[in-house]
Amino acid sequence: MTILDGKKLSQKIRAEVKEEAEELKAQGITPGLAVILVGNDPASQVYVGMKAKACKESGIYSVVHEFPETISQKELLETIQMINKNPNIHGLLIQLPLPKHIDTTKVLEAVDPSKDVDGFHPYNVGRLVAGLDSFAPCTPLGVMEMFKDYNIDVRGKDACVVGASNIVGKPMQALLLNEFATVDICHIYTKNLAAHTKRADIVIVGVGKINLITADMIKEGAIVVDIGINKNEEGKLVGDVDFENVSKKASYITPVPGGVGPMTIAMLLKNTIKAVKLQGK
């Protein structure tokens, strides 16, 4: 069994991003990323802080626009338009979730697709599904980068994605399909989840339920990627997979923490550099 070490790989990617940022600065371009944070959700604040720190270490200029929970949709859309027009900002990220009175779809659609480093704009979603070059969401993109680094060829493999969110599950399915994997996607209404996971060569799960995937649900030698983030009764960070028992059957497995999490931020930085180059063209 091999641990898919996202922490180690993310450090390598961040070093590459720093190098590229320095090359761009030598040409008079400082890569810039803007983040919009609405309200005071503690998890969102932690994520935004981590992203800002990663940008600073990688030579990317970052600015966080913080707004109270009470901000109107009009004000939020005006801020997005201002950032879209700013030539010094190459990437724009809206930290989700947004308050209930804000129409998330409208907000994401307002982002300039060439600055959409999160890959959530319908334009980029459509290009991803069509197999064209686009911005892909950072978490599933990080999973694909791990496969590449560990020489895991997904072509012809049966993959089961558990969780069908727009942020992880659906783009994960598209990225795997684009690399010619056969993909099964499961969700809350799937009957007999184990019947799907048991026959898969690759199981990717991200739903936020502790021990959802147990050892009897995967076949011997399966590749298991855990995107779930949960806190157990002791306050320890755990994923959606029963790591202790599943790791005895898997050929590759990601730990939580230290697996997919660090890759998400690394891919955000990589997407920001990509945005600079895209806008330069």
Side-chain angles (χ1 to χ4, degrees):
M1 187 272 297
T2 302
I3 296 275
L4 294 168
D5 190 342
K7 196 175 177 185
K8 191 178 167 188
L9 177 56
S10 72
Q11 285 164 351
K12 182 181 149 193
I13 291 165
R14 281 162 75 151
E16 288 166 2
V17 165
K18 191 175 183 179
E19 221 171 88
E20 287 192 86
E22 279 165 9
E23 283 170 19
L24 287 163
K25 282 177 183 173
Q27 296 165 39
I29 305 158
T30 299
L33 174 70
V35 178
I36 288 179
L37 175 63
V38 181
N40 48 13
D41 176 69
S44 290
Q45 287 176 328
V46 168
Y47 289 141
V48 168
M50 283 162 72
K51 286 165 186 172
K53 186 171 178 265
C55 282
K56 194 178 177 182
E57 287 169 4
S58 304
I60 293 171
Y61 165 75
S62 83
V63 59
V64 180
H65 296 269
E66 290 189 56
F67 296 104
E69 188 97 9
T70 52
I71 189 174
S72 72
Q73 184 156 305
K74 185 175 177 282
E75 284 175 283
L76 195 55
L77 292 171
E78 281 168 0
T79 304
I80 291 167
Q81 290 311 322
M82 176 196 77
I83 297 167
N84 283 343
K85 288 173 187 167
N86 185 344
N88 299 316
I89 295 295
H90 305 94
L92 170 54
L93 182 155
I94 315 288
Q95 184 63 42
L96 301 177
L98 291 169
K100 285 186 171 66
H101 70 279
I102 302 283
D103 184 336
T104 300
T105 303
K106 271 192 177 162
V107 167
L108 294 177
E109 284 178 343
V111 176
D112 179 341
S114 72
K115 295 190 179 190
D116 173 37
V117 287
D118 250 343
F120 295 160
H121 192 286
Y123 174 84
N124 284 314
V125 173
R127 286 185 69 87
L128 173 64
V129 171
L132 302 170
D133 185 48
S134 63
F135 287 111
C138 302
T139 300
L141 194 59
V143 173
M144 297 307 286
E145 197 71 24
M146 284 171 114
F147 289 160
K148 194 169 133 194
D149 192 69
Y150 281 85
N151 295 314
I152 296 168
D153 187 4
V154 304
R155 185 184 294 254
K157 285 192 171 69
D158 290 326
C160 179
V161 177
V162 184
S165 71
N166 291 336
I167 294 170
V168 177
K170 289 177 189 173
M172 190 78 254
Q173 180 194 32
L175 285 163
L176 287 163
L177 270 174
N178 290 346
E179 294 298 324
F180 303 103
T182 301
V183 193
D184 211 354
I185 188 158
C186 300
H187 44 77
I188 198 163
Y189 297 108
T190 299
K191 294 173 192 168
N192 193 357
L193 175 62
H196 296 267
T197 56
K198 261 181 187 169
R199 64 168 186 258
D201 305 307
I202 301 169
V203 176
I204 301 171
V205 56
V207 298
K209 191 174 178 187
I210 296 174
N211 290 343
L212 175 68
I213 305 297
T214 51
D216 60 339
M217 292 173 72
I218 68 151
K219 69 178 184 184
E220 201 71 45
I223 296 156
V224 181
V225 177
D226 191 349
I227 298 171
I229 297 174
N230 313 286
K231 272 190 180 171
N232 66 10
E233 287 166 4
E234 292 93 59
K236 190 183 163 202
L237 213 58
V238 293
D240 293 349
V241 173
D242 174 8
F243 183 87
E244 194 183 334
N245 295 304
V246 170
S247 61
K248 290 168 188 166
K249 280 179 89 175
S251 57
Y252 293 89
I253 191 167
T254 59
V256 176
V260 180
M263 289 301 297
T264 300
I265 291 180
M267 299 322 285
L268 170 67
L269 302 175
K270 204 169 174 177
N271 272 353
T272 303
I273 297 293
K274 181 177 177 170
V276 178
K277 293 173 179 176
L278 188 72
Q279 287 156 48
K281 285 175 187 174

